[in-house]
Amino acid sequence: MRSDNRPPLFLTISAIGGLLFLHLPILLIFLYAFTTDERTYQFPPPGLTTQWFAVAWHRADIWPALYLSLRVAALSTIMALILGTLCAAAMARTRFFGRDQISLLIILPIALPGIITGMSLRSAFSIMDIPFSTWTILMGHATFCIVIVFNNAVARFRRLSGSIVEASLDLGANSFQTFRYVLLPNLGSALLAGGMLAFALSFDEVIVTTFTAGQQSTLPIWMLNELVRPRQRPVTNVVAIVVFLTTFVPILIAYYLTRGGSETAGGGK
Amino acid sequence: MTLAADLTPREAKPNGAVLPSRGLGDRVSAVFWRHPNVLLVTLLALPLLWLVVVYLGSLAALLLQSFYSIDEFSGMIRREFTLSTYAELLRPANMDIIIRTVSMSAAVTLGAVIIAFPIAYFAARYARGHWKALFYLGVMLPLWSSYLVKVYAWKLILAREGIITWVTDGIGASAVLNGILALPVIGGSSLSTSYIGTWLVFLYVWLPYMILPMQASLERVPQSMLEASADLGASRWQTLRTVIFPLALPGIIAGSIFTFSLTMGDYIIPQIVGSSRRFIGQAVYQLQGTAGNIPLAAAFAVVPIVIMLIYLTIARRKGAFDAL
Amino acid sequence: MTAAVEFLNVSRHFGSIRAVDRLDLMIAEGTFFAMLGPSGSGKTTCLRLISGFEQPTGGVIRIFGQDCSAVPPNRRNVNTVFQDYALFPHMNVRDNVAYGLMVRGVDKRTRLARADELLGLVKLDDYGKRKPGELSGGQRQRVALARALINEPRVLLLDEPLGALDLKLREAMQDELKALQQRLGITFVFVTHDQSEALSMADQVAVFSDGKIAQIGTPAEIYDKPRTRFVADFVGSSNVLSSDMAAHFGGPARPASLRPESVRIVDDGARVHGHVTTLRYLGSGTRVVVTVPGGEISVFLGKEALLPEKGSAVGLTWDSQAMHVMEQD
């Protein structure tokens, strides 16, 4: 193989095949949103129509679910931004007793399967007799979104030259001025990226949510119900497209905001 | 002050060694400076309070619930310490669920290693410039994009009237498909109701979690090491087996932590694509919901935690955490 | 002579490590002061104690007579040129330089005009609009210098400011820094591990070793009259003669240092005879190591000198006053 930089054909085919395997299925979602077949998943679709977009628009059960999802995603993003940035500021460059335990604690909600986070919250709500509400959903979402913002912010903190904070203090700025004029402008895009990813993650989350929502329905829960007991199948596809794009766009933006860094890589959803 | 004289003349200003304090901001900063721990505690107080109270509190509640039991007559939770709920896990029906879940997790992990390797190796060794970015984005986007949409896409693919049937019919391979579906245990009436279908969807959904750490560890293998192996007369296969694979192992283990743990905790994929036989996740979900048996649901949820702790202990010994 | 900076019995410990250990130091106003030492010797910690980024474990630090123990860095009239320059990457050069005035509430027009003056001082008049990322290492260094001078500090601290520059640029910047210091009259405190830099630029040099000052004095004193074996070794590789050898050569029975360039190879009247063991070409001359009874003596020969052959027998001599008796081992 002597420093030849041409990959073996077999490897190229399996690599590209693997990538296609990751991407092609999503395209089917788009195709099925236009099918005229409402009862089965027949392929190829017997005919094409755009009527399902109008039907979806007029379905009264979709709008409250969408609204709830947006509200939860927005609120948990804000909470994650605040809590995650605080953690990152404290942990990025200091060493102190218990530091490793704290970083484990931040990562744990996402390292353990969602069902454990969900079931744990469910157990706690049961023990403390807390009724389900938007806030119970939010508690779960904010908890696992913290790590997303934290990862992005910590990576950026590490890339910044350590002494710019000292330089700012040295030139007469106090801690608040240093945060306002030096740290915030440099963290900005990383925080925006973290916020985007947190929003996407929360908007799409279903496993933890089913344990903390009670009778409430977020958009993913609505979708899940449709999957288990389908009514108008193409309408589900229309909603799936909406969910896909609502998560896809922020992810793409986050990628461009943090290119060159390691913020999003293996961020471990 | 010669500097001032040297440049523009300016009005005289006090120029001692110490500048005056300018209000609250300076005074608080001075406290942070004198006592760095005050700053640390100020920063960490809020997030730690949240994580400890909400998250650790909940985990404790989970453990606590698993030691409660359900009163068979009233259906109410009996809040007394008991091991009887854990004893229930040992019933054959429940053990089946655990064994089924662990086997599926292992099968998914194995499949992910095999499919991820060429992608990760290609991206780490041969992809440059735009191709590199494309591969990275190509793995990252599916990782982050909507879980439910991905699962739904596979429901469409695997359906009896779906694209796979259409393709196999088209190329005249329906006998092969039927042969596979006729296999005992892993077969079924259609792909979407068989273990094969469940396995495929799991594989698809968790594959990026295997590719990324694998690629990261492969990128740390110096090019010169591969060339050294080739120079010493090793064939490609030997290089792969004796040099690349051992070096990629920490990444593979790191990835397997994700695929294993995520498969064990999932309840949506087997619910939508698969036979009616339950996995741990489904058991937890049904027990806490329709059955109202929160203690048993909690005990079931502890099982993946224990298995993962054992797995992590082994992985740590193999140095897998460097690749995370 | 006023003391710009005074250390009275100052210590800074990190756990069990004594980075700075019961140190006394006086830096006179208007001097160009170099802190010289290997890494880990405590010189950078000393600089950070003056700027306020470290706080002493014990002792008192005075800046122009004022005890600064309770004064945070932002209120000390002392500014720093950082080793990596620490320019703010999101600001252009002008805003970087004006930063010190901005955080003090100086209005925009005044502070930018002043920034332009300082950019003129460091000969970067046309670079105000650029971002730090678009500058070369030498230019960044000048921006860092202008930024640190805008608050008119009474002491300017420089943390290995030339370390990242290549040799030629470094020599040019040495001259410029020296000229700038003389022109401004500000006290410069300069940390370096490069002895030639310290000797060529500073008025006073403090040689650091293990958190203490091994010797303090003018460059000539440090070079010619090292007090300890460490100083003799670190500041130019001197010959250190054991007390037996020193006594044998007519000095008191104490260790002595002997600079290689003070030793001559002679045919007649040699103080000692030996064999050449190594010849090392150094560019500006050649270093000849001669094995003599009781040890080795290095000789530095200029370019025009005739080189002995390896293994040949040679005689060595030097002037009596070239042998400097050290105070401690």
Side-chain angles (χ1 to χ4, degrees):
Chain A
M1 122 157 111
R2 204 171 295 266
S3 69
D4 59 325
N5 260 325
R6 296 185 57 82
L9 188 65
F10 171 71
L11 183 67
T12 315
I13 291 171
S14 12
I16 291 174
L19 274 192
L20 289 178
F21 172 66
L22 280 173
H23 288 268
L24 287 183
I26 307 272
L27 294 180
L28 275 185
I29 294 282
F30 284 79
L31 177 66
Y32 274 97
F34 297 95
T35 182
T36 50
D37 169 25
E38 161 178 1
R39 312 223 171 276
T40 65
Y41 298 118
Q42 191 190 338
F43 190 93
L48 295 176
T49 170
T50 54
Q51 60 159 327
W52 302 114
F53 288 85
V55 173
W57 184 269
H58 293 292
R59 279 273 290 265
D61 53 339
I62 295 176
W63 291 103
L66 176 65
Y67 176 64
L68 180 62
S69 281
L70 287 175
R71 202 154 55 112
V72 167
L75 286 173
S76 47
T77 302
I78 292 169
M79 287 188 60
L81 276 174
I82 296 169
L83 299 178
T85 310
L86 285 171
C87 281
M91 313 267 291
R93 245 190 289 276
T94 46
R95 305 237 149 256
F96 54 89
F97 180 74
R99 186 180 181 279
D100 292 347
Q101 284 73 13
I102 292 178
S103 61
L104 181 68
L105 179 60
I106 296 170
I107 293 166
L108 211 56
I110 219 130
L112 289 178
I115 198 160
I116 291 168
T117 309
M119 190 56 217
S120 297
L121 287 163
R122 174 82 175 83
S123 303
F125 298 153
S126 151
I127 285 181
M128 300 173 73
D129 288 322
I130 299 173
F132 294 113
S133 68
T134 312
W135 298 104
T136 51
I137 304 180
L138 191 60
M139 280 167 104
H141 284 214
T143 303
F144 61 68
C145 283
I146 292 175
V147 65
I148 308 292
V149 176
F150 172 79
N151 276 350
N152 274 262
V154 155
R156 182 62 60 87
F157 265 119
R158 296 213 172 112
R159 262 208 294 164
L160 285 179
S161 153
S163 39
I164 61 170
V165 169
E166 289 190 347
S168 170
L169 297 174
D170 188 74
L171 291 164
N174 63 36
S175 312
F176 303 95
Q177 289 174 311
T178 302
F179 180 75
R180 161 84 184 73
Y181 296 121
V182 175
L183 281 181
L184 205 54
N186 279 300
L187 286 178
S189 62
L191 293 183
L192 192 58
M196 293 273 174
L197 293 175
F199 185 91
L201 185 57
S202 165
F203 186 80
D204 163 54
E205 213 291 328
V206 63
I207 293 190
V208 176
T209 318
T210 47
F211 288 89
T212 56
Q215 298 304 311
Q216 308 164 83
S217 181
T218 62
L219 206 54
I221 291 186
W222 179 92
M223 252 184 86
L224 182 61
N225 289 334
E226 292 294 314
L227 289 187
V228 179
R229 279 176 295 277
R231 284 197 288 160
Q232 293 167 304
R233 298 183 188 210
V235 171
T236 314
N237 281 78
V238 172
V239 173
I241 291 174
V242 171
V243 171
F244 181 76
L245 291 181
T246 315
T247 54
F248 185 83
V249 173
I251 293 159
L252 213 55
I253 295 174
Y255 168 74
Y256 280 103
L257 285 173
T258 56
R259 245 180 327 173
S262 57
E263 282 95 340
T264 36
K269 198 165 142 179
Chain B
M1 199 48 223
T2 16
L3 176 58
D6 205 74
L7 300 156
T8 344
R10 285 143 46 91
E11 65 264 53
K13 61 163 195 162
N15 203 353
V18 175
L19 306 166
S21 170
R22 303 157 304 170
L24 189 63
D26 273 16
R27 282 205 296 280
V28 175
S29 303
V31 173
F32 289 159
W33 173 73
R34 260 192 296 278
H35 311 283
N37 285 335
V38 173
L39 175 63
L40 196 65
V41 170
T42 312
L43 290 172
L44 279 176
L46 213 56
L48 270 193
L49 199 70
W50 178 274
L51 285 170
V52 169
V53 172
V54 174
Y55 191 66
L56 286 188
S58 300
L59 279 177
L62 177 78
L63 267 182
L64 193 63
Q65 285 279 14
S66 70
F67 289 109
Y68 290 163
S69 61
I70 204 91
D71 191 294
E72 279 177 41
F73 301 104
S74 63
M76 298 291 283
I77 297 168
R78 202 188 294 133
R79 296 190 176 184
E80 287 164 22
F81 178 86
T82 173
L83 287 173
S84 64
T85 307
Y86 278 105
E88 263 191 75
L89 282 184
L90 299 175
R91 280 212 238 136
N94 291 337
M95 281 309 285
D96 276 354
I97 294 177
I98 294 172
I99 291 167
R100 183 177 304 130
T101 309
V102 173
S103 317
M104 178 60 83
S105 303
V108 169
T109 301
L110 197 66
V113 171
I114 292 167
I115 298 188
F117 190 81
I119 305 178
Y121 187 60
F122 190 93
R125 166 115 203 256
Y126 295 105
R128 294 283 171 269
H130 286 301
W131 277 97
K132 190 113 187 162
L134 188 79
F135 261 86
Y136 177 69
L137 212 57
V139 175
M140 209 193 67
L141 281 178
L143 174 98
W144 282 95
S145 60
S146 173
Y147 162 82
L148 214 52
V149 172
K150 286 184 281 191
V151 177
Y152 183 38
W154 278 88
K155 176 126 181 145
L156 303 178
I157 293 171
L158 299 175
R160 191 204 297 274
E161 67 278 13
I163 189 166
I164 290 201
T165 313
W166 178 75
V167 169
T168 47
D169 283 352
I171 59 173
S174 29
V176 177
L177 181 63
N178 289 334
I180 292 171
L181 286 175
L183 289 173
V185 186
I186 60 168
S189 65
S190 78
L191 279 173
S192 67
T193 55
S194 67
Y195 279 138
I196 302 176
T198 319
W199 177 78
L200 264 173
V201 183
F202 271 131
L203 184 61
Y204 173 78
V205 171
W206 308 136
L207 186 61
Y209 292 86
M210 178 62 84
I211 298 175
L212 285 177
M214 206 188 246
Q215 186 185 339
S217 68
L218 279 172
E219 254 158 26
R220 269 178 260 165
V221 179
Q223 187 81 19
S224 55
M225 201 178 273
L226 307 178
E227 282 160 20
S229 168
D231 276 347
L232 294 171
S235 72
R236 269 192 185 142
W237 171 242
Q238 278 173 316
T239 307
L240 184 73
R241 202 166 45 91
T242 57
V243 181
I244 303 170
F245 186 76
L247 289 166
L249 198 59
I252 293 172
I253 293 175
S256 73
I257 293 171
F258 288 117
T259 53
F260 205 87
S261 131
L262 289 166
T263 308
M264 258 199 317
D266 196 280
Y267 76 92
I268 292 193
I269 291 172
Q271 185 186 349
I272 293 177
V273 177
S275 66
S276 53
R277 282 159 295 193
R278 292 185 302 167
F279 285 77
I280 290 179
Q282 286 164 290
V284 173
Y285 184 66
Q286 284 165 8
L287 284 166
Q288 62 88 35
T290 44
N293 191 346
I294 293 182
L296 188 55
F300 252 120
V302 171
V303 174
I305 301 183
V306 172
I307 294 175
M308 282 321 291
L309 282 178
I310 296 169
Y311 198 103
L312 288 175
T313 316
I314 298 169
R316 177 171 232 148
R317 294 225 183 98
K318 302 266 179 195
F321 291 102
D322 311 334
L324 281 178
Chain C
M1 196 162 62
T2 332
V5 178
E6 269 178 294
F7 278 40
L8 301 173
N9 203 26
V10 170
S11 298
R12 176 68 176 106
H13 301 171
F14 299 100
S16 62
I17 298 161
R18 298 172 176 207
V20 173
D21 193 16
R22 284 167 292 158
L23 196 85
D24 288 305
L25 173 66
M26 204 278 277
I27 299 174
E29 184 179 9
T31 46
F32 198 124
F33 192 92
M35 294 179 168
L36 174 66
S39 58
S41 60
K43 57 190 192 312
T44 300
T45 308
C46 263
L47 199 77
R48 292 171 61 80
L49 283 163
I50 302 173
S51 57
F53 297 125
E54 299 291 346
Q55 297 173 60
T57 317
V60 174
I61 296 169
R62 291 205 191 115
I63 300 175
F64 285 94
Q66 258 180 292
D67 182 356
C68 280
S69 307
V71 182
N74 58 321
R75 288 183 48 217
R76 295 189 187 195
N77 203 356
V78 166
N79 288 120
T80 309
V81 176
F82 289 85
Q83 184 168 14
D84 61 356
Y85 314 138
L87 300 179
F88 305 127
H90 60 294
M91 292 182 189
N92 67 22
V93 165
R94 241 174 143 207
D95 289 334
N96 257 287
V97 175
Y99 186 83
L101 296 178
M102 195 260 287
V103 295
R104 281 171 202 203
V106 175
D107 69 272
K108 188 163 186 172
R109 236 187 51 195
T110 316
R111 67 176 189 248
L112 288 182
R114 183 91 181 123
D116 286 339
E117 281 178 48
L118 277 148
L119 283 173
L121 185 73
V122 296
K123 303 185 188 115
L124 282 177
D125 302 76
D126 301 326
Y127 290 82
K129 293 259 185 289
R130 299 208 192 172
K131 286 283 179 73
E134 303 164 38
L135 301 181
S136 70
Q139 289 166 340
R140 280 182 217 183
Q141 215 258 334
R142 286 159 192 266
V143 176
L145 192 61
R147 186 179 68 173
L149 286 170
I150 202 161
N151 284 339
E152 300 177 11
R154 299 203 63 182
V155 180
L156 184 73
L157 308 174
L158 302 106
D159 186 5
E160 306 244 9
L162 308 179
L165 305 181
D166 60 48
L167 184 66
K168 204 168 167 197
L169 198 54
R170 193 153 67 212
E171 283 173 352
M173 276 309 290
Q174 284 179 10
D175 295 342
E176 269 189 58
L177 272 181
K178 181 76 191 160
L180 190 68
Q181 191 266 337
Q182 278 166 352
R183 185 156 152 225
L184 301 176
I186 301 177
T187 312
F188 275 32
V189 181
F190 183 94
V191 158
T192 181
H193 64 269
D194 180 338
Q195 77 278 6
S196 69
E197 206 165 273
L199 297 179
S200 67
M201 291 166 78
D203 304 321
Q204 288 272 310
V205 179
V207 184
F208 279 74
S209 164
D210 292 331
K212 294 184 195 285
I213 293 178
Q215 187 171 359
I216 189 164
T218 63
E221 285 167 351
I222 299 282
Y223 191 78
D224 295 330
K225 301 192 173 77
R227 268 180 55 204
T228 68
R229 174 191 285 269
F230 173 81
V231 177
D233 274 345
F234 189 75
V235 184
S237 338
S238 194
N239 292 302
V240 176
L241 309 179
S242 66
S243 38
D244 286 351
M245 281 171 84
H248 176 75
F249 295 137
R254 301 267 300 277
S257 79
L258 179 63
R259 291 285 164 197
E261 60 273 27
S262 310
V263 185
R264 298 186 303 277
I265 294 180
V266 288
D267 298 328
D268 302 318
R271 285 172 184 259
V272 67
H273 292 277
H275 292 278
V276 175
T277 44
T278 39
L279 291 160
R280 195 140 66 91
Y281 182 63
L282 298 174
S284 55
T286 304
R287 192 181 180 97
V288 180
V289 181
V290 180
T291 306
V292 297
E296 278 183 346
I297 293 179
S298 288
V299 184
F300 181 84
L301 296 178
K303 282 205 160 288
E304 66 287 346
L306 212 61
L307 292 179
E309 281 193 19
K310 192 174 169 184
S312 62
V314 289
L316 304 177
T317 191
W318 53 85
D319 296 340
S320 309
Q321 67 266 31
M323 215 168 80
H324 171 71
V325 177
M326 295 191 291
E327 288 169 30
Q328 14 173 300
D329 192 35

